């Protein structure tokens, strides 16, 4: 008959087996770079997940009815969708600090509280340094998508600069202007063709608000907006009318953005930025 001490040791060993998680636990089902450990990222790269999407947002006023994190949230949510649809890609933390206007004097969105701005030179250096850090750890393609129009020229410049610098090193940058261009382009056209021509403006309008309702409605003050008079430029709403914004309308635009970005990634055969 086994001794009591032997029985106790066996019981403790059994408990430890149940309570201590396996060191070989499955990798979380996520494309978020920041949600993985360094060893999980290393293994993902070894498995072929060698594209990294850098979503660029921006912290800016969007009128009285959309929270200032609009671009950051949208860029991150859509980047995740793009990564999953394109495959073999992870998503970097969103870049929330971008050029939004001058501070002395205060210009553009910086005229309103709630906006954060850095200089174009600082922005370019930030994106370049982030991209370089991904290259040296094994990512062979850095994908740039920007949710705001003001810095698109800077992203193009960064892509060109890095592709020249990285020539022959087995890595490249893919800047996808179509991700942003579809919003004032194909999506705005779709809204106009579906009876919303007068409601489409340039900023915090029907399209902007509908996109936000589709992706994170908590960032829209929908009740206050529905009861408001037509917002004006003095409130940070530049043209159009956001009061009839709708999540279903926004989902159309979001799908267009994802499709445009996935297509660009799938047809990236040259190893250079898209024209």
């Amino acid at each position: 008959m086994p001794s009591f001490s032997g029985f106790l040791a066996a019981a403790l060993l059994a408990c430890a087996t149940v309570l201590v998680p396996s060191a070989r636990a499955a990798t979380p089902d996520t494309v978020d770079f920041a949600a993985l450990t360094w060893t999980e990222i290393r293994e993902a790269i070894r498995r072929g997940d060698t594209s990294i999407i850098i979503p660029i947002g921006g912290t800016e006023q969007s009128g009285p009815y959309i929270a200032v994190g609009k671009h950051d949230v949208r860029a991150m949510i859509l980047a995740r969708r793009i990564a999953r649809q394109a495959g073999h890609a992870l998503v970097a933390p969103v870049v929330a600090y971008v050029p939004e206007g001058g501070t002395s004097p205060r210009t553009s969105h910086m005229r309103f509280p709630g906006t954060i701005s850095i200089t174009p030179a600082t922005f370019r250096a930030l994106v370049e340094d982030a991209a370089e850090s991904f290259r040296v750890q094994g990512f062979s393609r850095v994908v740039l998508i920007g949710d705001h129009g003001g810095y698109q020229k800077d992203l193009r410049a960064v892509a060109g600069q890095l592709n020249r610098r990285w020539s022959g090193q087995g890595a490249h940058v893919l800047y996808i202007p179509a991700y942003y261009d579809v919003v004032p382009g194909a999506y705005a056209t779709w809204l106009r063709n579906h009876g919303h021509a007068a409601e489409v403006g340039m900023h915090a309008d029907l399209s902007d608000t509908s996109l936000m309702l589709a992706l994170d409605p908590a960032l829209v003050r929908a009740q206050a907006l529905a009861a408001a008079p037509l917002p004006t430029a003095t409130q940070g709403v530049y043209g159009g009318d956001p009061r009839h914004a709708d999540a279903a309308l926004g989902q159309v635009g979001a799908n267009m953005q994802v499709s445009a970005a996935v297509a660009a990634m799938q047809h990236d055969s040259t190893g250079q930025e898209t024209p």
Side-chain angles (χ1 to χ4, degrees), residues 153-206:
K153 63 183 182 301
D154 298 299
L155 295 182
R156 183 180 295 277
V158 167
Q161 173 72 18
L162 289 178
N163 282 329
R164 288 187 291 273
R165 186 188 306 168
W166 293 355
S167 179
Q169 298 188 49
H172 72 281
V173 176
L174 174 65
Y175 160 57
I176 304 180
Y179 168 86
Y180 172 77
D181 290 345
V182 75
V183 175
Y187 179 44
T189 298
W190 185 90
L191 288 171
R192 293 186 183 101
N193 290 341
H194 286 77
H196 300 284
E199 297 164 283
V200 176
M202 296 178 61
H203 176 75
D205 64 340
L206 178 81

Side-chain angles (χ1 to χ4, degrees), residues 2 68 91 113 139 161 164 179 198 200 219 222 230 233 243 252 263 267:
V68 299
V91 178
F139 290 98
Q161 173 72 18
R164 288 187 291 273
Y179 168 86
V200 176
L219 270 63
L230 179 65
R243 291 176 296 175
V252 172
H267 295 91

Side-chain angles (χ1 to χ4, degrees), residues 37-60:
T37 68
W38 77 265
T39 54
E40 290 166 346
I41 292 168
R42 179 190 62 191
E43 293 308 310
I45 294 171
R46 288 176 176 174
R47 289 194 307 269
D49 294 346
T50 54
S51 290
I52 182 85
I53 300 171
I54 303 181
I56 298 108
T59 309
E60 66 177 26

Side-chain angles (χ1 to χ4, degrees), residues 11 138 207:
S207 64

Side-chain angles (χ1 to χ4, degrees), residues 62-67 209-210 212-214 216-229 231 241-247:
S62 285
Y65 308 109
I66 307 177
T209 310
S210 294
M212 203 69 254
L213 286 170
D216 190 346
L219 270 63
V220 179
R221 308 300 182 252
Q223 187 173 356
L225 176 60
D241 186 348
R243 291 176 296 175
H244 297 105
D246 179 83

